[in-house]
Amino acid sequence: MAEKGGAASATGGQGAHMRMDLLLWYLRLVRSRSQGKMLAEQGLIRSNGHRVVKAHHAVRCGDILTVPQGTRVLVLQIDQLPWRRGPAAEALACYSEPSELRATG
């Protein structure tokens, strides 16, 4: 029996992926999945340099996301896909800031 994409298959397998709106909510970058959907559909997010215009855009491990967050812009590398919307520490463990993009001093 084949697994569907999303949270159930997010943590395993080579082709594991997750919807953009769900990922933003799981990583606590937005307060609700509908906010993640609106953010994606407005074209404000970039994935690997390409503009995202659909909430169901597939995100995989290793992808670089550019996400507006209030008055700043976050650049994140997805290290692992979350399987739930857990505590903040669990969400932080799923992504990192790419070393070549870190601000110095």
Side-chain angles (χ1 to χ4, degrees):
M1 185 171 162
E3 286 186 23
K4 292 183 180 181
S9 65
T11 56
Q14 290 277 66
H17 66 277
M18 181 176 280
R19 289 175 57 107
M20 179 65 75
D21 59 343
L22 187 61
L23 178 78
L24 294 173
W25 184 56
Y26 277 9
L27 294 181
R28 298 182 164 273
L29 299 174
V30 294
R31 291 185 184 198
S32 68
R33 186 172 173 181
S34 60
Q35 281 183 338
K37 179 180 187 239
M38 285 188 338
L39 198 62
E41 290 176 347
Q42 289 173 351
L44 299 174
I45 299 173
R46 293 196 174 267
S47 176
N48 298 321
H50 299 285
R51 191 174 184 186
V52 173
V53 293
K54 296 188 178 187
H56 65 267
H57 177 85
V59 181
R60 294 176 172 78
C61 289
D63 284 0
I64 305 289
L65 302 181
T66 305
V67 182
Q69 189 88 85
T71 58
R72 61 189 180 133
V73 176
L74 297 176
V75 179
L76 313 170
Q77 179 174 349
I78 304 302
D79 297 326
Q80 64 184 22
L81 295 174
W83 61 277
R84 66 178 185 146
R85 187 172 202 255
E90 191 175 296
L92 287 171
C94 293
Y95 63 87
S96 59
E97 185 179 349
S99 58
E100 65 271 4
L101 298 176
R102 284 199 182 122
T104 56

Coordinates of all heavy atoms in Angstrom, one line a residue:
M1 N 0.8 -1.2 0.0 CA 0.0 0.0 0.0 C 0.9 1.2 0.0 O 1.8 1.4 0.8 CB -0.9 0.0 1.2 CG -1.9 1.0 1.3 SD -3.0 0.6 2.7 CE -3.7 2.2 2.9
A2 N 0.7 2.1 -0.9 CA 1.5 3.3 -1.1 C 1.1 4.4 -0.1 O -0.1 4.6 0.2 CB 1.4 3.9 -2.5
E3 N 2.1 5.1 0.5 CA 1.8 6.2 1.4 C 1.5 7.5 0.7 O 2.1 7.7 -0.4 CB 3.0 6.4 2.3 CG 3.2 5.3 3.4 CD 4.3 5.7 4.3 OE1 4.6 6.9 4.5 OE2 4.8 4.8 4.9
K4 N 0.7 8.3 1.2 CA 0.4 9.6 0.6 C 1.5 10.5 1.2 O 2.0 10.3 2.2 CB -1.0 10.1 1.0 CG -2.1 9.3 0.4 CD -3.4 9.9 0.8 CE -4.5 9.1 0.1 NZ -5.8 9.6 0.4
G5 N 1.7 11.6 0.5 CA 2.7 12.6 0.9 C 2.1 13.4 2.1 O 1.0 13.3 2.5
G6 N 3.0 14.1 2.8 CA 2.6 14.9 4.0 C 3.2 14.3 5.2 O 4.3 13.7 5.3
A7 N 2.5 14.5 6.4 CA 3.1 14.2 7.7 C 3.4 12.7 7.8 O 4.3 12.4 8.5 CB 2.1 14.7 8.8
A8 N 2.5 11.9 7.3 CA 2.7 10.4 7.5 C 4.0 10.0 6.8 O 4.7 9.1 7.4 CB 1.6 9.7 6.9
S9 N 4.4 10.5 5.7 CA 5.6 10.0 5.0 C 6.7 11.1 5.1 O 7.7 10.9 4.4 CB 5.3 9.8 3.5 OG 4.9 11.0 2.9
A10 N 6.6 12.1 5.9 CA 7.5 13.2 6.0 C 8.9 12.8 6.5 O 9.9 13.3 6.1 CB 7.0 14.3 6.8
T11 N 8.9 11.8 7.4 CA 10.2 11.5 8.0 C 11.0 10.4 7.4 O 12.1 10.2 7.7 CB 10.0 11.2 9.5 OG1 9.1 10.1 9.6 CG2 9.5 12.4 10.3
G12 N 10.4 9.6 6.5 CA 11.1 8.5 5.9 C 11.1 8.5 4.4 O 10.3 9.2 3.8
G13 N 12.1 7.8 3.8 CA 12.1 7.6 2.4 C 12.8 8.7 1.7 O 13.0 9.8 2.1
Q14 N 13.3 8.3 0.5 CA 14.1 9.2 -0.4 C 13.3 10.4 -0.9 O 13.7 11.5 -0.9 CB 14.6 8.5 -1.6 CG 15.7 7.5 -1.2 CD 17.1 8.2 -1.1 OE1 17.3 9.0 -0.2 NE2 18.0 7.8 -2.0
G15 N 12.0 10.1 -1.3 CA 11.2 11.2 -1.9 C 10.3 11.9 -0.9 O 9.3 12.4 -1.3
A16 N 10.6 11.8 0.4 CA 9.8 12.4 1.4 C 9.6 13.9 1.2 O 10.6 14.6 0.9 CB 10.3 12.1 2.8
H17 N 8.4 14.4 1.3 CA 8.2 15.8 1.2 C 7.0 16.2 2.0 O 6.3 15.3 2.6 CB 7.9 16.1 -0.3 CG 6.6 15.5 -0.8 ND1 6.6 14.2 -1.3 CD2 5.4 16.0 -0.9 CE1 5.3 13.9 -1.6 NE2 4.6 15.0 -1.5
M18 N 6.8 17.5 2.1 CA 5.7 18.0 2.9 C 5.1 19.3 2.3 O 5.9 20.0 1.6 CB 6.2 18.4 4.3 CG 5.1 18.9 5.3 SD 5.7 19.1 6.9 CE 5.6 17.5 7.5
R19 N 3.9 19.6 2.4 CA 3.3 20.8 1.9 C 3.9 22.0 2.6 O 4.2 22.0 3.7 CB 1.8 20.8 2.2 CG 0.9 19.8 1.4 CD -0.5 19.8 1.9 NE -1.1 21.2 1.8 CZ -2.0 21.5 0.9 NH1 -2.4 20.7 0.0 NH2 -2.4 22.8 0.8
M20 N 4.0 23.1 1.8 CA 4.6 24.3 2.3 C 3.8 24.9 3.5 O 4.3 25.2 4.5 CB 4.7 25.4 1.2 CG 5.3 26.7 1.7 SD 7.0 26.6 2.3 CE 7.8 26.5 0.7
D21 N 2.4 24.9 3.4 CA 1.6 25.5 4.4 C 1.7 24.7 5.7 O 1.8 25.2 6.8 CB 0.2 25.7 4.0 CG -0.5 24.4 3.5 OD1 0.2 23.4 3.2 OD2 -1.8 24.4 3.4
L22 N 1.7 23.4 5.6 CA 1.8 22.5 6.8 C 3.2 22.6 7.4 O 3.3 22.7 8.6 CB 1.5 21.1 6.3 CG 1.4 20.0 7.5 CD1 0.3 20.4 8.4 CD2 1.2 18.7 6.9
L23 N 4.2 22.7 6.6 CA 5.6 22.8 7.1 C 5.7 24.1 7.9 O 6.3 24.1 9.0 CB 6.6 22.8 6.0 CG 8.1 23.0 6.5 CD1 8.6 21.7 7.1 CD2 8.9 23.5 5.4
L24 N 5.2 25.2 7.4 CA 5.3 26.5 8.1 C 4.6 26.5 9.4 O 5.1 27.0 10.4 CB 4.7 27.7 7.2 CG 5.5 28.0 5.9 CD1 4.7 29.0 5.1 CD2 6.9 28.5 6.2
W25 N 3.5 25.8 9.5 CA 2.7 25.7 10.7 C 3.5 24.8 11.7 O 3.6 25.1 12.9 CB 1.3 25.2 10.4 CG 0.5 25.1 11.6 CD1 0.1 26.1 12.5 CD2 -0.2 23.9 12.1 NE1 -0.7 25.6 13.4 CE2 -1.0 24.3 13.2 CE3 -0.3 22.6 11.6 CZ2 -1.7 23.4 13.9 CZ3 -1.1 21.7 12.3 CH2 -1.8 22.1 13.5
Y26 N 4.0 23.6 11.2 CA 4.7 22.7 12.1 C 6.0 23.3 12.7 O 6.3 23.1 13.8 CB 5.1 21.4 11.3 CG 4.0 20.4 11.2 CD1 2.7 20.6 11.6 CD2 4.4 19.1 10.7 CE1 1.8 19.6 11.4 CE2 3.4 18.1 10.5 CZ 2.1 18.4 10.9 OH 1.2 17.4 10.8
L27 N 6.6 24.1 11.9 CA 7.9 24.8 12.3 C 7.6 26.0 13.1 O 8.5 26.8 13.5 CB 8.8 25.1 11.1 CG 9.3 23.9 10.4 CD1 10.2 24.4 9.2 CD2 10.1 23.0 11.3
R28 N 6.3 26.3 13.4 CA 5.9 27.5 14.2 C 6.4 28.8 13.6 O 6.6 29.8 14.4 CB 6.4 27.3 15.7 CG 5.9 26.1 16.3 CD 6.3 26.0 17.8 NE 5.5 25.0 18.5 CZ 4.3 25.3 19.1 NH1 3.9 26.5 19.1 NH2 3.6 24.4 19.7
L29 N 6.4 28.9 12.3 CA 6.7 30.2 11.6 C 5.5 31.0 11.4 O 5.5 32.2 11.1 CB 7.4 29.9 10.3 CG 8.8 29.2 10.5 CD1 9.4 28.8 9.1 CD2 9.8 30.0 11.3
V30 N 4.3 30.3 11.5 CA 3.0 31.0 11.4 C 2.1 30.4 12.5 O 2.3 29.3 13.0 CB 2.3 30.8 10.0 CG1 3.1 31.5 8.9 CG2 2.2 29.3 9.6
R31 N 1.1 31.1 12.8 CA 0.2 30.7 13.9 C -0.9 29.7 13.5 O -1.4 28.9 14.4 CB -0.5 31.9 14.5 CG 0.4 32.8 15.3 CD -0.3 33.9 16.0 NE 0.7 34.8 16.6 CZ 0.4 35.6 17.5 NH1 -0.9 35.7 18.0 NH2 1.3 36.4 18.1
S32 N -1.2 29.6 12.2 CA -2.2 28.7 11.7 C -1.8 28.2 10.3 O -1.1 28.9 9.6 CB -3.6 29.3 11.7 OG -3.7 30.3 10.7
R33 N -2.4 27.1 10.0 CA -2.1 26.5 8.6 C -2.7 27.5 7.6 O -2.1 27.6 6.5 CB -2.7 25.1 8.5 CG -2.3 24.5 7.2 CD -2.8 23.0 7.2 NE -2.6 22.5 5.9 CZ -2.9 21.2 5.6 NH1 -3.4 20.4 6.5 NH2 -2.7 20.8 4.4
S34 N -3.8 28.1 7.9 CA -4.4 29.0 6.9 C -3.5 30.2 6.7 O -3.4 30.8 5.6 CB -5.8 29.4 7.3 OG -5.8 30.1 8.5
Q35 N -2.8 30.7 7.7 CA -1.8 31.8 7.5 C -0.7 31.3 6.6 O -0.2 32.1 5.8 CB -1.3 32.3 8.9 CG -2.2 33.1 9.6 CD -1.6 33.6 10.9 OE1 -0.6 33.1 11.5 NE2 -2.1 34.7 11.4
G36 N -0.2 30.1 6.8 CA 0.8 29.6 5.9 C 0.3 29.5 4.5 O 1.1 29.8 3.6
K37 N -0.9 29.1 4.3 CA -1.5 29.0 3.0 C -1.5 30.4 2.3 O -1.1 30.6 1.2 CB -2.9 28.5 3.0 CG -3.6 28.3 1.7 CD -5.0 27.8 1.9 CE -5.6 27.5 0.5 NZ -6.8 28.2 0.3
M38 N -2.0 31.4 3.1 CA -2.0 32.8 2.5 C -0.6 33.3 2.2 O -0.4 33.9 1.1 CB -2.7 33.7 3.5 CG -4.2 33.5 3.6 SD -5.1 34.8 4.6 CE -3.9 35.5 5.7
L39 N 0.4 33.0 3.0 CA 1.7 33.5 2.8 C 2.3 32.9 1.6 O 2.9 33.6 0.7 CB 2.6 33.1 4.0 CG 3.9 33.8 4.2 CD1 3.7 35.3 4.4 CD2 4.6 33.2 5.4
A40 N 2.0 31.6 1.4 CA 2.5 30.9 0.2 C 1.9 31.4 -1.1 O 2.5 31.7 -2.1 CB 2.3 29.4 0.3
E41 N 0.5 31.5 -1.0 CA -0.2 32.0 -2.2 C 0.0 33.4 -2.6 O -0.2 33.8 -3.8 CB -1.7 31.7 -2.0 CG -2.0 30.2 -2.0 CD -3.4 29.9 -1.7 OE1 -4.2 30.7 -1.3 OE2 -3.8 28.7 -2.0
Q42 N 0.5 34.2 -1.7 CA 0.8 35.6 -2.0 C 2.2 35.7 -2.7 O 2.5 36.8 -3.2 CB 0.9 36.5 -0.7 CG -0.5 36.7 -0.1 CD -0.4 37.4 1.2 OE1 0.7 37.5 1.8 NE2 -1.5 37.8 1.7
G43 N 2.9 34.6 -2.8 CA 4.2 34.6 -3.5 C 5.3 35.3 -2.7 O 6.3 35.7 -3.3
L44 N 5.2 35.3 -1.4 CA 6.2 35.9 -0.5 C 7.3 35.0 -0.1 O 8.3 35.4 0.5 CB 5.5 36.5 0.7 CG 4.5 37.6 0.5 CD1 3.8 38.0 1.7 CD2 5.1 38.8 -0.2
I45 N 7.2 33.7 -0.4 CA 8.1 32.7 0.0 C 8.9 32.2 -1.2 O 8.4 32.1 -2.3 CB 7.4 31.5 0.7 CG1 6.7 31.9 1.9 CG2 8.4 30.4 1.1 CD1 5.8 30.9 2.5
R46 N 10.2 32.0 -1.0 CA 11.0 31.4 -2.0 C 11.6 30.0 -1.5 O 11.9 29.9 -0.4 CB 12.2 32.3 -2.4 CG 11.7 33.6 -3.0 CD 12.8 34.3 -3.7 NE 12.3 35.4 -4.5 CZ 12.0 35.4 -5.7 NH1 12.1 34.3 -6.4 NH2 11.6 36.5 -6.3
S47 N 11.6 29.1 -2.4 CA 12.2 27.8 -2.2 C 13.2 27.5 -3.2 O 13.0 27.4 -4.4 CB 11.0 26.7 -2.3 OG 11.6 25.4 -2.1
N48 N 14.5 27.4 -2.7 CA 15.6 27.2 -3.6 C 15.7 28.3 -4.7 O 16.0 28.0 -5.8 CB 15.6 25.8 -4.2 CG 15.7 24.7 -3.2 OD1 16.4 24.8 -2.2 ND2 14.9 23.6 -3.4
G49 N 15.4 29.5 -4.3 CA 15.5 30.6 -5.2 C 14.3 30.8 -6.1 O 14.2 31.8 -6.8
H50 N 13.3 29.9 -6.1 CA 12.1 30.0 -6.9 C 10.9 30.5 -6.1 O 10.7 30.0 -5.0 CB 11.8 28.7 -7.6 CG 12.9 28.2 -8.5 ND1 13.1 28.7 -9.7 CD2 13.8 27.2 -8.3 CE1 14.2 28.1 -10.3 NE2 14.6 27.2 -9.4
R51 N 10.1 31.4 -6.6 CA 9.0 31.9 -5.9 C 7.9 30.8 -5.8 O 7.6 30.1 -6.7 CB 8.4 33.0 -6.8 CG 7.4 33.8 -6.1 CD 7.0 35.0 -7.0 NE 6.1 35.8 -6.4 CZ 5.5 36.8 -6.9 NH1 5.8 37.1 -8.2 NH2 4.7 37.6 -6.3
V52 N 7.4 30.7 -4.6 CA 6.3 29.7 -4.3 C 5.0 30.4 -4.4 O 4.8 31.5 -3.8 CB 6.5 29.1 -2.8 CG1 5.3 28.3 -2.4 CG2 7.8 28.4 -2.7
V53 N 4.0 29.9 -5.1 CA 2.7 30.5 -5.3 C 1.6 29.6 -4.9 O 0.4 29.9 -5.1 CB 2.5 31.0 -6.7 CG1 3.5 32.2 -7.0 CG2 2.7 29.9 -7.8
K54 N 1.9 28.4 -4.5 CA 0.9 27.4 -4.1 C 1.2 26.8 -2.7 O 2.3 26.5 -2.4 CB 0.8 26.3 -5.1 CG 0.4 26.8 -6.5 CD 0.1 25.7 -7.4 CE -0.4 26.3 -8.7 NZ -0.8 25.3 -9.7
A55 N 0.1 26.7 -1.9 CA 0.3 26.1 -0.6 C 0.8 24.7 -0.6 O 1.4 24.2 0.4 CB -1.0 26.3 0.2
H56 N 0.5 24.0 -1.6 CA 0.8 22.5 -1.7 C 2.2 22.3 -2.3 O 2.6 21.2 -2.6 CB -0.2 21.7 -2.5 CG -0.3 22.1 -3.9 ND1 -1.2 23.0 -4.3 CD2 0.3 21.7 -5.0 CE1 -1.1 23.1 -5.7 NE2 -0.2 22.3 -6.1
H57 N 3.0 23.4 -2.4 CA 4.4 23.3 -2.9 C 5.1 22.2 -2.1 O 5.1 22.3 -0.9 CB 5.1 24.6 -2.9 CG 6.5 24.6 -3.3 ND1 6.9 24.6 -4.6 CD2 7.7 24.4 -2.6 CE1 8.2 24.6 -4.7 NE2 8.7 24.4 -3.5
A58 N 5.8 21.3 -2.7 CA 6.5 20.2 -2.0 C 7.9 20.7 -1.5 O 8.7 21.3 -2.2 CB 6.7 19.0 -2.9
V59 N 8.1 20.5 -0.2 CA 9.4 20.9 0.5 C 10.0 19.6 0.9 O 9.4 18.7 1.5 CB 9.1 21.8 1.7 CG1 10.4 22.2 2.4 CG2 8.3 23.0 1.3
R60 N 11.3 19.5 0.6 CA 12.1 18.3 0.9 C 13.3 18.7 1.8 O 13.7 19.9 1.9 CB 12.6 17.6 -0.3 CG 11.5 17.1 -1.2 CD 12.0 16.5 -2.5 NE 10.9 15.8 -3.1 CZ 9.9 16.3 -3.8 NH1 9.9 17.6 -3.9 NH2 9.0 15.6 -4.4
C61 N 13.9 17.7 2.4 CA 15.1 18.0 3.2 C 16.2 18.5 2.3 O 16.4 18.1 1.2 CB 15.7 16.7 3.8 SG 14.6 16.0 5.1
G62 N 16.9 19.5 2.8 CA 18.0 20.2 2.0 C 17.5 21.4 1.3 O 18.3 22.2 0.8
D63 N 16.2 21.7 1.2 CA 15.7 22.9 0.6 C 16.1 24.1 1.4 O 16.1 24.1 2.6 CB 14.2 22.8 0.4 CG 13.7 21.9 -0.7 OD1 14.6 21.3 -1.4 OD2 12.5 21.7 -0.9
I64 N 16.3 25.2 0.7 CA 16.6 26.5 1.3 C 15.3 27.3 1.1 O 14.9 27.6 0.0 CB 17.8 27.2 0.6 CG1 19.0 26.3 0.6 CG2 18.0 28.6 1.3 CD1 19.7 26.2 2.0
L65 N 14.7 27.8 2.2 CA 13.5 28.6 2.2 C 13.8 30.0 2.6 O 14.6 30.2 3.6 CB 12.5 28.0 3.1 CG 12.0 26.6 2.9 CD1 10.9 26.2 3.9 CD2 11.5 26.4 1.4
T66 N 13.2 31.0 2.0 CA 13.3 32.4 2.4 C 11.9 32.8 2.8 O 11.0 32.7 1.9 CB 13.8 33.3 1.2 OG1 15.0 32.7 0.7 CG2 14.0 34.7 1.6
V67 N 11.7 33.1 4.0 CA 10.4 33.3 4.6 C 10.3 34.7 5.3 O 11.1 34.9 6.2 CB 10.0 32.2 5.6 CG1 8.6 32.4 6.2 CG2 10.2 30.8 5.0
P68 N 9.4 35.6 4.9 CA 9.2 36.8 5.7 C 8.7 36.6 7.1 O 7.8 35.7 7.3 CB 8.3 37.6 4.9 CG 7.5 36.6 4.1 CD 8.4 35.5 3.9
Q69 N 9.3 37.2 8.1 CA 8.8 37.1 9.5 C 8.8 38.4 10.1 O 9.8 38.9 10.6 CB 9.8 36.1 10.2 CG 9.4 35.7 11.6 CD 8.5 34.5 11.5 OE1 9.1 33.4 11.5 NE2 7.2 34.6 11.5
G70 N 7.7 39.1 10.1 CA 7.5 40.4 10.6 C 8.3 41.4 9.8 O 8.1 41.5 8.6
T71 N 9.3 42.1 10.4 CA 10.1 43.1 9.7 C 11.4 42.5 9.2 O 12.3 43.2 8.7 CB 10.5 44.2 10.6 OG1 11.1 43.7 11.8 CG2 9.2 45.0 11.1
R72 N 11.6 41.2 9.4 CA 12.9 40.5 8.9 C 12.6 39.4 7.9 O 11.4 39.0 7.8 CB 13.7 40.0 10.1 CG 13.0 39.0 10.9 CD 13.7 38.7 12.2 NE 13.0 37.7 12.9 CZ 13.5 36.6 13.5 NH1 14.8 36.4 13.4 NH2 12.8 35.8 14.1
V73 N 13.6 38.9 7.3 CA 13.4 37.8 6.4 C 14.3 36.6 6.9 O 15.5 36.8 7.1 CB 13.9 38.2 5.0 CG1 13.8 37.0 4.0 CG2 13.0 39.3 4.4
L74 N 13.7 35.5 7.1 CA 14.5 34.3 7.6 C 14.9 33.5 6.4 O 14.2 33.2 5.4 CB 13.6 33.4 8.4 CG 13.1 34.0 9.7 CD1 12.2 33.0 10.4 CD2 14.3 34.3 10.6
V75 N 16.2 33.0 6.4 CA 16.7 32.1 5.4 C 17.0 30.8 6.1 O 17.8 30.8 7.0 CB 18.0 32.7 4.7 CG1 18.5 31.7 3.7 CG2 17.6 34.0 4.0
L76 N 16.3 29.7 5.8 CA 16.4 28.5 6.5 C 16.8 27.3 5.6 O 16.3 27.3 4.4 CB 15.0 28.1 7.1 CG 14.3 29.2 7.9 CD1 12.9 28.8 8.2 CD2 15.1 29.6 9.1
Q77 N 17.5 26.4 6.1 CA 17.8 25.1 5.4 C 17.0 24.1 6.1 O 17.2 23.9 7.3 CB 19.3 24.8 5.3 CG 19.5 23.5 4.6 CD 21.0 23.2 4.4 OE1 21.8 24.0 4.6 NE2 21.2 22.0 4.0
I78 N 16.2 23.3 5.4 CA 15.4 22.3 6.1 C 16.3 21.0 6.3 O 16.8 20.4 5.3 CB 14.2 21.9 5.2 CG1 13.3 23.1 5.0 CG2 13.4 20.8 5.9 CD1 12.8 23.8 6.2
D79 N 16.6 20.7 7.5 CA 17.5 19.6 7.8 C 16.7 18.3 7.9 O 17.2 17.2 7.6 CB 18.2 19.8 9.1 CG 19.2 21.0 9.0 OD1 19.7 21.2 7.9 OD2 19.3 21.7 10.0
Q80 N 15.5 18.3 8.5 CA 14.6 17.2 8.6 C 13.2 17.7 8.6 O 12.9 18.8 9.0 CB 14.9 16.4 9.8 CG 14.6 17.1 11.1 CD 15.0 16.3 12.3 OE1 15.8 15.4 12.3 NE2 14.4 16.6 13.5
L81 N 12.3 16.9 8.1 CA 10.9 17.2 8.1 C 10.2 16.9 9.4 O 10.4 15.7 9.9 CB 10.2 16.5 6.9 CG 10.6 17.0 5.5 CD1 10.0 16.1 4.5 CD2 10.4 18.4 5.3
P82 N 9.5 17.8 10.0 CA 8.8 17.5 11.2 C 7.6 16.5 11.0 O 7.1 16.5 9.9 CB 8.3 18.8 11.7 CG 8.1 19.6 10.5 CD 9.2 19.1 9.5
W83 N 7.3 15.7 12.0 CA 6.1 14.8 11.9 C 4.9 15.3 12.6 O 3.8 14.7 12.6 CB 6.5 13.4 12.3 CG 7.0 13.3 13.7 CD1 8.2 13.6 14.2 CD2 6.2 12.9 14.8 NE1 8.2 13.4 15.6 CE2 7.0 13.0 16.0 CE3 4.8 12.5 15.0 CZ2 6.5 12.7 17.2 CZ3 4.4 12.2 16.2 CH2 5.2 12.3 17.4
R84 N 5.1 16.4 13.4 CA 4.0 17.0 14.1 C 4.3 18.5 14.5 O 5.4 18.9 14.3 CB 3.7 16.2 15.4 CG 4.8 16.4 16.4 CD 4.5 15.7 17.7 NE 5.6 15.9 18.7 CZ 5.4 16.0 20.0 NH1 4.2 15.9 20.5 NH2 6.4 16.2 20.8
R85 N 3.3 19.2 15.0 CA 3.6 20.5 15.5 C 3.8 20.4 17.0 O 2.9 20.4 17.8 CB 2.4 21.4 15.3 CG 2.7 22.9 15.6 CD 1.5 23.8 15.2 NE 2.0 25.1 15.1 CZ 1.7 26.1 16.0 NH1 1.0 25.8 17.0 NH2 2.2 27.3 15.8
G86 N 5.1 20.2 17.3 CA 5.4 19.9 18.7 C 5.9 21.2 19.4 O 5.7 22.3 18.9
P87 N 6.7 21.0 20.4 CA 7.3 22.2 21.1 C 8.3 23.0 20.3 O 8.8 22.4 19.3 CB 7.9 21.6 22.4 CG 7.9 20.1 22.2 CD 7.0 19.8 21.1
A88 N 8.5 24.2 20.6 CA 9.4 25.0 19.9 C 10.8 24.4 19.7 O 11.4 24.5 18.6 CB 9.6 26.4 20.5
A89 N 11.3 23.8 20.7 CA 12.7 23.1 20.6 C 12.7 22.1 19.5 O 13.7 21.9 18.8 CB 13.1 22.6 22.0
E90 N 11.6 21.3 19.4 CA 11.5 20.3 18.4 C 11.4 20.9 17.0 O 12.1 20.4 16.1 CB 10.2 19.5 18.7 CG 10.1 18.2 17.9 CD 8.8 17.4 18.3 OE1 8.8 17.0 19.4 OE2 7.9 17.3 17.4
A91 N 10.7 22.0 16.9 CA 10.7 22.7 15.6 C 12.0 23.3 15.2 O 12.5 23.2 14.0 CB 9.6 23.9 15.7
L92 N 12.8 23.9 16.1 CA 14.1 24.5 15.9 C 15.1 23.4 15.4 O 16.0 23.7 14.7 CB 14.6 25.2 17.1 CG 13.9 26.5 17.4 CD1 14.4 27.0 18.8 CD2 14.2 27.5 16.4
A93 N 14.9 22.2 15.8 CA 15.8 21.1 15.5 C 15.6 20.7 14.0 O 16.5 20.0 13.5 CB 15.6 19.9 16.4
C94 N 14.6 21.1 13.4 CA 14.3 20.7 12.0 C 14.9 21.6 10.9 O 14.9 21.2 9.8 CB 12.8 20.6 11.8 SG 12.0 19.4 12.7
Y95 N 15.4 22.7 11.3 CA 16.0 23.6 10.3 C 17.2 24.3 10.9 O 17.4 24.4 12.1 CB 15.0 24.6 9.8 CG 14.5 25.6 10.8 CD1 15.1 26.8 11.1 CD2 13.3 25.3 11.4 CE1 14.6 27.7 12.0 CE2 12.7 26.2 12.3 CZ 13.4 27.4 12.6 OH 12.9 28.3 13.5
S96 N 18.1 24.9 10.0 CA 19.2 25.7 10.4 C 19.4 26.8 9.5 O 18.8 26.9 8.4 CB 20.5 24.8 10.4 OG 20.7 24.3 9.1
E97 N 20.2 27.8 9.9 CA 20.6 28.9 9.0 C 21.8 28.5 8.2 O 22.8 28.1 8.8 CB 20.9 30.1 9.9 CG 21.1 31.4 9.1 CD 21.4 32.6 10.0 OE1 21.1 32.5 11.2 OE2 21.8 33.6 9.4
P98 N 21.8 28.5 6.9 CA 22.9 28.1 6.1 C 24.2 29.0 6.5 O 24.1 30.2 6.6 CB 22.5 28.4 4.7 CG 21.0 28.4 4.7 CD 20.6 28.9 6.1
S99 N 25.3 28.3 6.7 CA 26.5 29.0 7.2 C 27.0 30.1 6.3 O 27.5 31.1 6.7 CB 27.6 28.0 7.4 OG 27.9 27.3 6.2
E100 N 26.8 30.0 4.9 CA 27.3 31.0 4.0 C 26.4 32.2 4.0 O 26.8 33.3 3.6 CB 27.5 30.5 2.6 CG 26.2 30.1 1.9 CD 25.8 28.6 2.2 OE1 26.5 27.9 2.9 OE2 24.8 28.2 1.6
L101 N 25.3 32.1 4.6 CA 24.3 33.3 4.7 C 24.3 33.9 6.0 O 23.6 34.9 6.2 CB 22.9 32.8 4.3 CG 22.8 32.3 2.8 CD1 21.4 31.8 2.6 CD2 23.2 33.3 1.8
R102 N 25.0 33.4 7.0 CA 25.0 34.0 8.4 C 25.6 35.4 8.4 O 26.6 35.6 7.8 CB 25.7 33.1 9.3 CG 25.0 31.8 9.7 CD 25.5 31.2 11.0 NE 24.7 30.0 11.2 CZ 25.2 28.8 11.3 NH1 26.5 28.6 11.2 NH2 24.4 27.8 11.5
A103 N 24.9 36.2 9.1 CA 25.5 37.6 9.3 C 26.7 37.6 10.2 O 26.7 36.9 11.2 CB 24.4 38.5 9.9
T104 N 27.7 38.4 9.9 CA 28.8 38.5 10.7 C 28.8 39.7 11.5 O 28.5 40.8 11.0 CB 30.1 38.4 9.8 OG1 30.1 39.4 8.9 CG2 30.3 37.1 9.2
G105 N 29.2 39.6 12.8 CA 29.3 40.7 13.7 C 28.3 41.7 13.7 O 28.2 42.8 14.0

